[in-house]
Amino acid sequence: MRLWPVIAKELKQLVRDPRSLLMNVAMPLLVMLMFGAGYGGRQTRAIPVAVANLDPQGDLSWELIDYIFQAPGIEPGCYVNSEEEAVELVRRGEVYGAIIIPEHFTEDLKAGRKVYVKVVVDAAAPFAPTIINSAVTNALYHLQVSIAEDYGTVAVVMEQETVYGPSITTMEGFTPITMGLLLYLVPMTLISLSLCRERERGTYEQLIMAPISRWDIVGGKFAAYTILSMANMFGTLGVAILVFNVRVRGPLVDLVAFSLLFLVCSLSLGMLISVVSKNQLQALGTSIFLFIPSLLFAGIISPVEYISPAVRYAITYTSPMYYFLRGFRAIMLKGYTLLDVWQECLALAIMTVVFFSSAVVLLKMKLG
């Protein structure tokens, strides 16, 4: 068959490039191992919730709390003595939500009066409102069934409030994720191919023979791709705001500046990939391989509290995407400023310096 020579040629080329072969063969296995290490095991992981039980002497209030925290996915982060204190914890981001059980909760239930349980959630946090509301709704059902025989039919109603709202649309909720993907994967991949393309076309020799330094080479390519990526960034933000009516609650200038910092960090990482890769296939594979942990462990598909502590400290807290999502959501959805997200800015700035400096140091000003 004429097909077999082509197959044999491609396999031989892969074998001759061990790094590319390792990347293509080992990547699926490593991804599954990372996913299992992050989300597998029997350890129960949950997001913290504040509880304000204003009926501390009532037996039914504590029974309701027991039912609530039997649900998977949430845990009591702290118990407080007032509604105001619980809501403030949500505003500060120390917990994802607050459950407030009113005064005379047990007395009103036993007397057959309707009672309200208030749930305050951080609407800017993805996943959290659904997880908390589901747990409370399920607990209210079990409580009413439990006490129906003793006190007859009772009505316990969940009253929901949000902070950083009052409502956040689906488009607004997904905008931070969309911007993160566009400002991370695309620029990093594009610039990672730049030096490899020069080597494969045979123009790298002319470049290093020119009277310029390695700083000039890295800086020049970096600046060119920064300009291109900034145009894409402004276009994407403009479409989101003008076409889809996405609201930016914080200063728009701060949101753009923070996005630019993340973009520079992504380009710096891509430049480092380009320096250490021998060909475009290696650069592309490395870019995708580094992107996958960000997709799995940066808070895109689940709260980071669901990730095992070991993976969280090894991957999540070292991922630029994690800090971008935290800062972008805070500015866009909560109305924060750059000063309020200084920790995220500092983390991205440090990573940028490390990636860019490493790219300059590792660039070889000779062939081979």
Side-chain angles (χ1 to χ4, degrees):
M1 294 179 62
R2 290 177 295 178
L3 184 62
W4 287 112
V6 178
I7 297 176
K9 180 183 74 70
E10 293 298 323
L11 291 176
K12 287 180 180 178
Q13 287 182 342
L14 284 174
V15 172
R16 290 171 183 168
D17 189 353
R19 190 184 300 183
S20 298
L21 180 63
L22 178 65
M23 193 68 64
N24 285 278
V25 175
M27 185 185 297
L29 177 61
L30 290 175
V31 169
M32 181 53 65
L33 290 174
M34 286 190 297
F35 188 83
Y39 295 99
R42 297 182 180 180
Q43 181 182 358
T44 301
R45 305 180 183 104
I47 59 176
V49 177
V51 178
N53 185 4
L54 307 184
D55 181 35
Q57 305 303 320
D59 57 312
L60 296 183
S61 64
W62 291 109
E63 184 176 349
L64 174 61
I65 292 172
D66 288 338
Y67 281 127
I68 290 174
F69 292 111
Q70 287 176 11
I74 66 171
E75 63 182 5
C78 57
Y79 290 90
V80 295
N81 298 319
S82 68
E83 177 179 341
E84 292 75 16
E85 188 177 354
V87 174
E88 183 61 25
L89 289 173
V90 181
R91 291 190 181 277
R92 294 205 302 261
E94 296 184 21
V95 294
Y96 284 84
I99 300 169
I100 297 96
I101 300 177
E103 297 179 0
H104 313 298
F105 176 83
T106 300
E107 178 183 336
D108 290 342
L109 275 182
K110 292 180 178 180
R113 292 187 288 267
K114 179 185 289 188
V115 295
Y116 292 86
V117 173
K118 182 180 291 187
V119 176
V120 181
V121 294
D122 181 357
F127 317 109
T130 301
I131 295 172
I132 297 172
N133 291 338
S134 175
V136 175
T137 301
N138 188 60
L140 292 178
Y141 168 77
H142 285 291
L143 178 67
Q144 291 177 87
V145 171
S146 173
I147 66 179
E149 294 183 1
D150 297 328
Y151 306 105
T153 303
V154 296
V156 188
V157 181
M158 182 177 70
E159 184 180 69
Q160 180 181 335
E161 293 184 4
T162 61
V163 296
Y164 308 118
S167 63
I168 291 176
T169 65
T170 301
M171 186 65 188
E172 290 171 347
F174 277 98
T175 295
I177 296 175
T178 303
M179 291 299 300
L181 297 179
L182 291 176
L183 295 177
Y184 189 63
L185 179 61
V186 177
M188 180 176 66
T189 303
L190 287 177
I191 198 172
S192 70
L193 301 174
S194 60
L195 286 176
C196 298
R197 190 182 303 114
E198 298 267 11
R199 295 189 184 100
E200 293 182 2
R201 290 179 177 176
T203 57
Y204 186 67
E205 183 178 3
Q206 300 175 9
L207 186 64
I208 62 177
M209 292 299 293
I212 55 177
S213 67
R214 63 181 66 194
W215 284 95
D216 296 324
I217 296 175
V218 174
K221 288 184 173 293
F222 185 86
Y225 282 95
T226 299
I227 295 172
L228 175 63
S229 300
M230 283 180 60
N232 293 333
M233 181 186 74
F234 284 119
T236 305
L237 269 177
V239 169
I241 295 172
L242 299 176
V243 178
F244 296 102
N245 298 318
V246 170
R247 294 170 293 175
V248 178
R249 293 166 175 81
L252 183 59
V253 174
D254 289 12
L255 188 71
V256 171
F258 185 75
S259 300
L260 180 59
L261 175 59
F262 177 62
L263 172 61
V264 171
C265 183
S266 303
L267 289 170
S268 298
L269 178 57
M271 194 73 246
L272 177 59
I273 294 172
S274 187
V275 167
V276 300
S277 299
K278 293 183 177 181
N279 53 56
Q280 294 186 71
L281 180 60
Q282 285 184 7
L284 182 60
T286 304
S287 298
I288 296 175
F289 182 74
L290 292 179
F291 170 73
I292 291 176
S294 298
L295 183 65
L296 295 178
F297 305 122
I300 294 178
I301 65 175
S302 71
V304 296
E305 285 78 8
Y306 283 12
I307 303 169
S308 66
V311 173
R312 201 184 311 160
Y313 284 99
I315 299 179
T316 301
Y317 298 150
T318 59
S319 169
M321 180 71 79
Y322 168 73
Y323 297 99
F324 171 76
L325 291 177
R326 282 175 56 90
F328 195 92
R329 283 170 178 153
I331 297 174
M332 175 185 162
L333 302 178
K334 298 182 179 182
Y336 283 18
T337 66
L338 277 179
L339 292 178
D340 297 317
V341 295
W342 68 268
Q343 293 177 317
E344 288 78 10
C345 291
L346 178 61
L348 291 175
I350 292 174
M351 292 181 187
T352 300
V353 172
V354 171
F355 295 151
F356 189 85
S357 301
S358 299
V360 174
V361 171
L362 294 177
L363 178 63
K364 296 180 180 180
M365 296 296 286
K366 60 181 180 179
L367 297 178

